[in-house]
């Protein structure tokens, strides 16, 4: 388990994907993601530009998943026995 500390996001124990961050860098990336998502509401108000906000959020989410993919454990289906 020595290499586990280099990951920002550990794999989930059950299911596929990542759990909560385990490093400050991981928490910072979550905070930046949330901050940019909220800022997007100011840039693209939902009443005036809902499609633009959805597109912005989709791109932002894709970038966040890319960070998790690069800095997290490789995702695979897990049943909790590890």
């Amino acid at each position: 388990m020595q290499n586990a500390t280099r990951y920002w996001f550990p794999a989930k124990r059950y299911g596929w994907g990542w759990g909560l961050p385990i490093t400050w860098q991981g928490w910072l990336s979550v905070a930046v993601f949330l901050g940019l998502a909220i800022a997007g509401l100011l840039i693209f108000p939902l009443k005036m530009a809902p499609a633009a906000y959805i597109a912005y959020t989709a791109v932002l989410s894709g970038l966040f998943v890319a960070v998790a993919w690069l800095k997290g454990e490789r995702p695979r289906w897990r049943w909790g026995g590890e």
Side-chain angles (χ1 to χ4, degrees), residues 17-68:
W18 302 277
L20 292 174
I22 56 174
T23 64
W24 68 267
Q25 295 96 333
W27 283 107
L28 180 63
S29 63
V30 170
V32 167
F33 172 78
L34 291 175
L36 289 174
I38 292 168
L41 286 170
L42 300 173
I43 298 167
F44 307 109
L46 285 176
K47 288 188 177 188
M48 299 175 77
Y53 180 72
I54 291 170
Y56 171 80
T57 305
V59 170
L60 190 61
S61 297
L63 291 172
F64 185 71
V65 169
V67 168

